[in-house]
Amino acid sequence: MSDSAAVRLEPWDEHNQALVANVHPPGWTNPTPSGRYNLVVIGAGTAGLVAAAGATGLGARVALVERDLMGGDCLNVGCVPSKALIRAARAVADVRAARSAFGVDVPVDAPIDFPAVMRRMRRLRAELSPIDSATRFQGLGVDVYLGQGVFTAPDAITVEGHTLRFAKALIATGARAAAPPVPGLRESGYVTNETVFSLTALPRRLAVIGGGPIGCELAQVFARFGARVHVVQTGDRLLGREDGDAARLVRAALERDGVRFAMNVRVTKVERGANGKILQLAADAAPGGLEPLEVDEILVAVGRAPNVEGLGLEAAGVTFDTAAGVRVDDLLRTTNPRVYAAGDVCTPLKFTHHSDFQARLVIQNALFLGRAKASALVVPRCTYTDPEVAHVGLTAEEAQARGRRVRTFVQELADVDRARLDGDAEGFVKVHVAEGSDRILGATIVARHAGEMLPELTLAVAHGVGLGRLARIIHTYPTQAEAIRKLGDAYNRTRLTPTVKRLFETWLRWTR
Ligand SMILES: Cc1cc2nc3c(=O)[nH]c(=O)nc-3n(C[C@H](O)[C@H](O)[C@H](O)COP(=O)(O)OP(=O)(O)OC[C@H]3O[C@@H](n4cnc5c(N)ncnc54)[C@H](O)[C@@H]3O)c2cc1C
């Protein structure tokens, strides 16, 4: 791997070697630029790859610059490895519940082969990597440069001694794990999403700093694998952006898996002790102090910092800040009209699918004089805890903050046959409609496969399909998605006012 590669993949087994051979091939020879590019893309994560492939496919001359691993966070240290581990952890939970919930007589304390679990994750990650590989993109006609991209002028980028001139450029440099300024944390050592997937032994005791999506997903995974997990969260609620009822259900589920929570608690200092890493904790509610927490490993998951440093943005006339990232307008243009940005480097909605769709929008706007607006994208999201929390549109709190009056319909999964049969009865579908109509403003689903159920509601939000109309869509029986149709029925029942009912009764009497 080149010296500039920031992510260190361990262990150096056949799977990681196969991965790197695809996404940062050793000995790769950068092409020699000839003439000006229509589009130079810095960063080969989701946003960069989608933009490069799309633009080349439409006939543009495109250069793609990546300093580390093509595929970015999602493939290498994000969605892909985390979801592989989540699946394995679900298998553990299913085995543990097999006897009590399903009458299947398997030993509940069957040992977990953590190295095998991690090997499966590495194998799958490597198997998925050809689609993001340097040779595939080269084959598509993209000039792939491996090395650090730096703007040297408003219309030029250098990489490994080559100067790439461009008509348009896209900054798609993503984000990295933010580190809280806790004294002693760096010296004591910790893992983030960039290193946690390189673990080869299960930490016996794990502190997770941060109760957002990444913290919650991985806390549950490691607890299910058998680690004693403590989540330390500064606020009073997990998954701060999500519906309060959803967050409460997730917390209860994690607690059942053995995760302990220290809420409204700050880590003030970390030290290395004889038997582990010691976290000193403080809370306003405990002026006398809290018991220190001793663990074997610390996972930091306190948010993401945009990658804006070392890019030469000043030379390009691109305005940015280190918290919010590159500043863009609604067309994803930066303060340099030649330069656009997409993905985690410029948006608070840091999701792979959002990066993907922002990149598509950049192709239209940068290369074809388009006026597609980022604010028009309907961006669903899902946290892949068990149960999952999937959401689209506004939460009730957001609607209230915008002065929108909503009516909320809730269908508990306990009243959905398939959820009962599956043993997944804990959860709900909640839909907020605009007061006085069936227009869906937002929806939250808490269910084992909430992310798979959400697209129907995303479609409804994006295309203005009212909740009442969803009742007229035949859903196969028995499915958990029937919960959505039931909500449509619930909405339609509200239209059966006493007057309408009286009219129906009169008609029926008359036609008897
Ligand atoms: C643990 C974890 C789990 C996640 N799970 C999900 C999930 O389930 N679903 C979901 O939608 N999202 C998930 N995400 C978020 C998702 O990974 C990101 O939103 C997505 O990867 C962002 O894509 P991007 O292209 O904007 O940036 P990135 O994927 O970060 O790619 C940016 C690329 O730019 C490169 N780069 C940076 N600076 C330079 C430079 N100067 N020169 C050259 N190259 C440069 C980087 O090396 C990197 O490869 C997860 C994230 C994490 C951390």
Side-chain angles (χ1 to χ4, degrees):
M1 230 190 304
S2 95
D3 288 337
S4 63
V7 173
R8 298 278 162 238
L9 294 171
E10 290 174 16
W12 194 234
D13 65 355
E14 57 179 314
H15 304 306
N16 278 344
Q17 287 175 32
L19 173 70
V20 170
N22 281 325
V23 296
H24 195 112
W28 180 260
T29 307
N30 283 332
T32 305
S34 61
R36 204 157 79 128
Y37 288 101
N38 292 100
L39 183 68
V40 174
V41 180
I42 307 190
T46 305
L49 292 173
V50 169
T56 308
L58 294 170
R61 287 194 61 212
V62 178
L64 177 62
V65 183
E66 172 56 55
R67 68 178 176 193
D68 197 345
L69 304 177
M70 294 179 64
D73 278 3
C74 181
L75 172 68
N76 299 293
V77 290
C79 331
V80 167
S82 62
K83 271 70 232 176
L85 296 190
I86 285 169
R87 180 62 186 89
R90 181 147 58 86
V92 174
D94 284 345
V95 169
R96 288 205 182 121
R99 186 183 287 171
S100 59
F102 301 106
V104 182
D105 201 6
V106 293
V108 290
D109 52 357
I112 294 148
D113 184 347
F114 184 73
V117 166
M118 297 302 271
R119 211 164 32 249
R120 170 182 180 273
M121 175 274 289
R122 293 194 298 275
R123 175 177 59 74
L124 290 168
R125 181 171 60 180
E127 284 173 9
L128 295 182
S129 65
I131 193 96
D132 294 350
S133 67
T135 42
R136 172 168 176 261
F137 274 75
Q138 188 183 47
L140 293 176
V142 176
D143 280 356
V144 177
Y145 294 85
L146 296 184
Q148 170 96 10
V150 181
F151 285 95
T152 47
D155 64 349
I157 286 167
T158 62
V159 49
E160 299 283 320
H162 298 290
T163 297
L164 316 182
R165 302 220 161 265
F166 59 79
K168 296 283 161 46
L170 171 63
I171 302 168
T173 51
R176 61 185 183 279
V182 175
L185 179 62
R186 196 164 51 82
E187 295 76 4
S188 305
Y190 60 93
V191 293
T192 66
N193 72 293
E194 279 165 22
T195 41
V196 69
F197 303 112
S198 289
L199 291 177
T200 48
L202 180 71
R204 205 166 48 84
R205 301 163 301 173
L206 176 71
V208 177
I209 306 181
I214 296 173
C216 285
E217 286 181 4
L218 292 176
Q220 187 176 41
V221 161
F222 279 91
R224 286 180 162 184
F225 290 156
R228 207 175 155 79
V229 179
H230 281 83
V231 173
V232 184
Q233 162 78 340
T234 46
D236 61 356
R237 173 164 142 186
L238 299 177
L239 303 177
R241 194 187 276 169
E242 302 300 345
D243 174 272
D245 294 330
R248 273 186 288 281
L249 277 187
V250 167
R251 179 171 173 174
L254 266 62
E255 280 172 339
R256 277 198 300 278
D257 283 317
V259 178
R260 284 142 200 253
F261 291 94
M263 305 301 285
N264 290 311
V265 169
R266 302 180 299 281
V267 182
T268 54
K269 192 172 165 191
V270 181
E271 297 158 309
R272 263 189 181 279
N275 298 313
K277 304 173 186 192
I278 301 168
L279 285 73
Q280 302 293 343
L281 306 175
D284 293 341
L290 291 169
E291 280 285 299
L293 178 62
E294 189 176 70
V295 294
D296 302 299
E297 193 51 273
I298 301 168
L299 170 66
V300 171
V302 294
R304 316 282 301 156
N307 291 325
V308 287
E309 298 83 359
L311 261 174
L313 293 177
E314 299 81 357
V318 170
T319 302
F320 67 97
D321 85 66
T322 51
V326 172
R327 198 208 298 165
V328 286
D329 65 13
D330 207 12
L331 304 180
L332 297 180
R333 278 181 313 209
T334 69
T335 44
N336 174 342
R338 287 176 179 275
V339 180
Y340 288 67
D344 283 10
V345 73
C346 67
T347 170
L349 300 177
K350 299 192 192 314
F351 309 112
T352 292
H353 44 276
H354 192 213
S355 298
D356 178 331
F357 275 74
Q358 284 203 330
R360 293 166 193 238
L361 192 146
V362 166
I363 296 175
Q364 294 174 53
N365 292 353
L367 302 183
F368 296 101
L369 307 173
R371 306 285 302 165
K373 291 190 171 146
S375 59
L377 294 173
V378 173
V379 187
R381 60 176 184 260
C382 185
T383 298
Y384 297 88
T385 42
D386 184 7
E388 297 175 354
V389 178
H391 179 83
V392 63
L394 302 177
T395 62
E397 287 165 5
E398 285 165 347
Q400 201 178 15
R402 292 182 195 191
R404 307 290 299 264
R405 288 164 65 87
V406 298
R407 182 158 189 196
T408 299
F409 292 83
V410 182
Q411 175 63 56
E412 299 290 341
L413 290 189
D415 297 322
V416 176
D417 291 0
R418 179 60 185 273
R420 293 284 291 273
L421 298 167
D422 282 343
D424 295 340
E426 201 160 73
F428 58 79
V429 179
K430 196 185 265 196
V431 173
H432 310 293
V433 296
E435 181 78 58
S437 85
D438 72 341
R439 195 166 143 239
I440 300 174
L441 296 180
T444 298
I445 304 178
V446 181
R448 195 167 220 199
H449 299 292
E452 305 288 349
M453 292 164 69
L454 191 68
E456 180 177 1
L457 289 165
T458 306
L459 180 78
V461 172
H463 294 287
V465 180
L467 185 55
R469 279 175 67 196
L470 292 183
R472 300 204 292 272
I473 305 296
I474 302 178
H475 290 65
T476 41
Y477 176 86
T479 51
Q480 295 195 18
E482 270 196 301
I484 296 169
R485 198 220 67 233
K486 282 171 178 274
L487 283 177
D489 287 338
Y491 170 80
N492 286 338
R493 278 196 297 276
T494 66
R495 298 169 64 201
L496 193 64
T497 58
T499 316
V500 175
K501 197 162 178 214
R502 259 197 314 278
L503 281 172
F504 281 174
E505 283 165 358
T506 310
W507 166 258
L508 290 168
R509 241 192 336 268
W510 188 55
T511 56
R512 225 173 260 154

